[in-house]
Amino acid sequence: MTTSTSSTTDRVHDTLAWLKRRGTKRNRDGMARYAIVAPKVFGVSVADLRGRGKVLGQDQALAVALWKTGWYEARMLAAFVADPDETTALQMDRWARNFDNWAICDHLCFHLFDRTPHAWRKIDQWGRRREEFVKRAAFALLASVALHDKQAGDGEFMRALPLVERAASDERNFVKKGVNWALRSVGRRNRALHAAAVDVSRRLADAQSPSARWVGKDALRELTSPAVLRRVERR
């Protein structure tokens, strides 16, 4: 959907006004307790943002403009209104560089980036980056693709597992938790990927790095649970 500059400006103004009305101190305090910290926050729930996204509809120009405002909730809304087919690899890189907390990182990966044609390329590229939330984005994106793309073959996931294994030694909390999420999500897809993810988890559980051991042991605990074993057997 294409909109004029003036109408996009008006929509951004109206959206920010709506966000200001919906924001509460209680929500802002709740976000802080979960380590969701951003420079500009209204305090609007994700449920409200999802509903507003449906009202706004898909509008790439609006998504870009909302992101530029710097407001946390406006950027969350950008994921709901952006068009995955119009979201370029360059745009993904620009937005990823702006990630300043785990929630905006995971939200963009889970609700937008995994549906773009650039997802696999960004998993590989971002997984080799140093910036904390860009690197986390690689594994949040891998987890999101594993959860959402039912048509994807095993090959790409198999090729991503060495990247997961290498990144598991990163001691930063938000990175290692992203790596763990990706490993568990890949391992739940089917029997072949489950076996491969369990192998990686066992190696990590015996690693010298404390971070890698945590990733491996936590993933192994879930992947060998009766519930997950029953699930993969049915696939």
Side-chain angles (χ1 to χ4, degrees):
M1 174 180 176
T2 302
T3 56
S4 68
T5 301
S6 59
S7 63
T8 297
T9 300
D10 290 343
R11 297 191 89 196
V12 170
H13 180 271
D14 292 345
T15 300
L16 292 179
W18 181 87
L19 290 170
K20 185 176 182 179
R21 291 194 302 272
R22 298 295 298 182
T24 68
K25 183 178 184 302
R26 179 179 180 181
N27 284 337
R28 292 192 295 272
D29 290 344
M31 291 166 58
R33 285 195 297 273
Y34 286 97
I36 303 173
V37 180
K40 299 165 67 175
V41 178
F42 287 110
V44 183
S45 72
V46 175
D48 282 348
L49 293 174
R50 189 188 301 275
R52 190 64 179 179
K54 292 178 181 178
V55 171
L56 292 171
Q58 198 170 75
D59 185 335
Q60 189 68 13
L62 178 61
V64 172
L66 287 171
W67 191 271
K68 288 180 179 178
T69 69
W71 283 96
Y72 170 76
E73 288 87 354
R75 289 180 166 182
M76 295 282 276
L77 267 177
F80 289 132
V81 303
D83 183 339
D85 293 327
E86 292 186 25
T87 301
T88 66
L90 180 59
Q91 190 72 69
M92 292 170 69
D93 283 331
R94 287 173 176 165
W95 287 4
R97 285 196 295 270
N98 292 153
F99 290 162
D100 49 14
N101 61 72
W102 67 267
I104 192 68
C105 169
D106 294 4
H107 182 85
L108 266 290
C109 292
F110 196 81
H111 293 290
L112 175 63
F113 288 169
D114 66 323
R115 293 181 289 132
T116 71
H118 319 293
W120 284 109
R121 180 152 45 111
K122 292 307 163 189
I123 289 168
D124 182 64
Q125 292 175 355
W126 292 345
R128 303 170 193 278
R129 294 280 290 274
R130 179 60 189 167
E131 305 96 315
E132 183 174 13
F133 291 111
V134 176
K135 191 169 183 180
R136 179 187 173 94
F139 302 102
L141 185 51
L142 177 57
S144 298
V145 172
L147 291 166
H148 294 155
D149 190 348
K150 306 304 181 185
Q151 305 305 313
D154 291 354
E156 293 285 7
F157 292 106
M158 290 290 192
R159 285 188 285 274
L161 284 175
L163 186 66
V164 171
E165 192 164 359
R166 287 194 297 272
S169 59
D170 193 313
E171 298 290 340
R172 292 173 294 179
N173 189 51
F174 292 118
V175 175
K176 74 177 183 182
K177 286 189 173 181
V179 172
N180 176 264
W181 181 23
L183 181 55
R184 291 183 290 108
S185 299
V186 170
R188 290 197 300 264
R189 276 185 68 88
N190 58 45
R191 283 183 287 180
L193 289 172
H194 178 266
V198 167
D199 284 346
V200 170
S201 299
R202 285 178 172 148
R203 287 197 295 274
L204 292 175
D206 291 333
Q208 290 187 343
S209 161
S211 175
R213 286 200 303 274
W214 177 84
V215 170
K217 289 178 180 179
D218 187 78
L220 199 58
R221 184 162 43 250
E222 178 174 323
L223 293 175
T224 58
S225 69
V228 171
L229 291 173
R230 286 193 300 269
R231 180 177 176 178
V232 296
E233 282 300 315
R234 293 195 296 266
R235 298 189 167 192

